Amino acid sequence: MTQQGVVFYREADADPAALGGQTVAVIGYGNLGSSMALNLRDSGLPVIVGNIDDKYRPRAAADGFPVLEIAEAVARADVVYALIPDEEMAGCYRETIGPGLRPGAALCFASGYALAYGLVQPPEGMDVLLMAPRMLGEEVRRTYQEGTGFFTYVSVEQDATGRAWPRLLALARAAGSLRRGAMPLSARQEALLDLLIEQTVGPYLGAAIQLAFQLGVEAGLPPEAMVLEMYMSGEMSRTFQTFAEVGFYKSVTWHGAVAQYGGFLRTLALERGSMERLFREALEDIRSGGFAKKLQEEEAQGYPVIKGLAGLTAGTDPMSQAEERVRRALG
Ligand code: NDP
């Protein structure tokens, strides 16, 4: 389990009997909820689904789950795994999850967000857990089926029964995560980590790709070659894979002298002052709860900013059109 101070829980650390006979209610049969429900059931746990009346509801029924109103599923469950979008959690918890929770039950989240920013205040007398996968929903299912599993952050935020850790590890094992490893991280830390990377590395990477596309096309390069070069060929994602396999710095040696020299030269020339300032502002905004407050306002107003992004995702921009031509050409 422990290697030089780093803790990863693996299958041998979990006792499936800690959840023996306990019913798990998966609340929200969406991206992650559907994969989790299938994994947990395939591992032998009795799983029920609580879902609003949307397109996911018939899907859960077609997959063979008993599908109930959320409040009803919560009232029947020993373990409630709340898998609805983070920004929707406050209202859903207040109206349907919170009132039905049974004393001694466990309430588990897949993201630290709602706990870290006080969107939910679970009552005393129940276990409060975090099992936050580092993997997209469909990959959670695929890696379960292929037997490799996925990384997760786990935390016990409240141990009312004295059995919270064994329950959490049994749940993580049944989900398939402990084949890969689960690292302890509090809900507050998980939320900070998740938001920080999304709001620093994400925007810079995105902006670099947009700008390079613009300049490359201006310089006469085919737009199709630009999108192939940057992500469609898979070369770049393979580079990220080598960060994990051989190390961020060591992976440099996998590239030839031309790439090493050019990349190093331009990295040195980057103006890091403004970058650092923006990153620090993001960090402070996330830490202070300012970002969460803005997101809750966005939700309350019906997502005006997110709706504004629809123009970006409509597929009419030059990059999306180049991607489409590549896909069509490759069949
Ligand atoms: P989804 O967007 O797929 O939504 C899940 C379900 O919740 C859907 O059925 C959705 O219905 C329903 N829902 C939306 N709003 C409400 C509401 N107000 N009340 C009740 N149900 C509602 O969520 P995800 O699976 O993407 O995310 C769930 C959780 O898992 C989040 O905490 C997320 O951070 C975490 N997570 C997600 C990962 C992923 O890959 N998606 C990876 C790791 C963690 P409808 O769509 O019809 O509104």
Side-chain angles (χ1 to χ4, degrees):
M1 179 173 96
T2 305
Q3 192 63 245
Q4 290 180 342
V6 183
V7 173
F8 275 108
Y9 294 107
R10 306 301 297 271
E11 289 207 316
D13 299 309
D15 178 6
L19 281 183
Q22 299 189 24
T23 298
V24 180
V26 167
I27 306 301
Y29 201 74
N31 292 317
L32 185 59
S34 53
S35 292
M36 279 295 180
L38 291 163
N39 290 4
L40 295 171
R41 185 177 66 183
D42 285 356
S43 294
L45 290 175
V47 177
I48 58 176
V49 170
N51 207 90
I52 51 175
D53 193 12
D54 65 2
K55 65 175 191 274
Y56 296 114
R57 206 180 158 93
R59 204 177 290 170
D63 287 342
F65 291 101
V67 190
L68 308 166
E69 294 302 321
I70 292 178
E72 205 184 329
V74 169
R76 288 196 197 178
D78 303 293
V79 178
V80 175
Y81 199 4
L83 293 171
I84 69 159
D86 295 328
E87 69 286 359
E88 297 287 341
M89 198 64 87
C92 179
Y93 180 84
R94 195 175 51 244
E95 285 150 32
T96 48
I97 297 178
L101 290 166
R102 296 190 344 207
L107 174 62
C108 186
F109 294 90
S111 148
Y113 188 88
L115 290 165
Y117 297 110
L119 305 187
V120 299
Q121 269 117 21
E124 289 175 8
M126 61 180 316
D127 295 340
V128 181
L129 316 174
L130 175 74
M131 179 165 77
R134 262 26 215 176
M135 196 55 91
L136 295 175
E138 65 185 54
E139 292 295 293
V140 163
R141 181 64 181 156
R142 191 185 62 75
T143 55
Y144 178 91
Q145 287 176 313
E146 85 184 10
T148 49
F150 51 92
F151 284 115
T152 320
Y153 296 122
V154 287
S155 151
V156 168
E157 299 287 314
Q158 184 169 287
D159 185 358
T161 64
R163 294 178 288 123
W165 269 110
R167 279 173 124 181
L168 175 58
L169 293 181
L171 191 69
R173 188 183 207 274
S177 170
L178 300 193
R179 293 174 196 163
R180 195 90 173 108
M183 182 189 239
L185 201 70
S186 74
R188 192 166 264 281
Q189 287 175 313
E190 192 276 340
L192 174 62
L193 175 65
D194 190 43
L195 296 174
L196 182 67
I197 303 308
E198 274 171 11
Q199 296 181 29
T200 53
V201 178
Y204 262 76
L205 210 52
I209 287 173
Q210 288 171 324
L211 193 54
F213 179 84
Q214 183 194 321
L215 293 185
V217 172
E218 267 173 35
L221 290 167
E224 298 77 17
M226 286 301 298
V227 293
L228 264 172
E229 185 72 17
M230 291 193 290
Y231 48 85
M232 288 192 86
S233 67
E235 186 189 12
M236 204 67 109
S237 50
R238 183 68 191 120
T239 299
F240 268 74
Q241 197 60 40
T242 62
F243 294 170
E245 287 164 11
V246 296
F248 181 73
Y249 289 110
K250 278 197 185 133
S251 70
V252 169
T253 59
W254 281 42
H255 302 281
V258 177
Q260 289 187 32
Y261 177 72
F264 190 53
L265 210 64
R266 301 304 166 199
T267 302
L268 288 180
L270 278 175
E271 203 282 285
R272 290 186 184 227
S274 62
M275 188 170 168
E276 184 177 340
R277 206 167 44 251
L278 280 169
F279 280 21
R280 286 192 183 281
E281 277 171 22
L283 176 63
E284 201 33 54
D285 196 32
I286 295 165
R287 258 194 192 146
S288 68
F291 171 76
K293 189 163 174 282
K294 279 183 280 206
L295 180 59
Q296 290 318 119
E297 284 163 10
E298 166 80 1
E299 188 262 340
Q301 290 162 17
Y303 298 105
V305 174
I306 291 178
K307 281 181 184 156
L309 292 176
L312 266 185
T313 54
T316 50
D317 65 285
M319 273 172 73
S320 303
Q321 288 174 347
E323 292 161 12
E324 197 44 42
R325 287 193 293 277
V326 170
R327 281 189 207 105
R328 270 206 306 272
L330 291 174

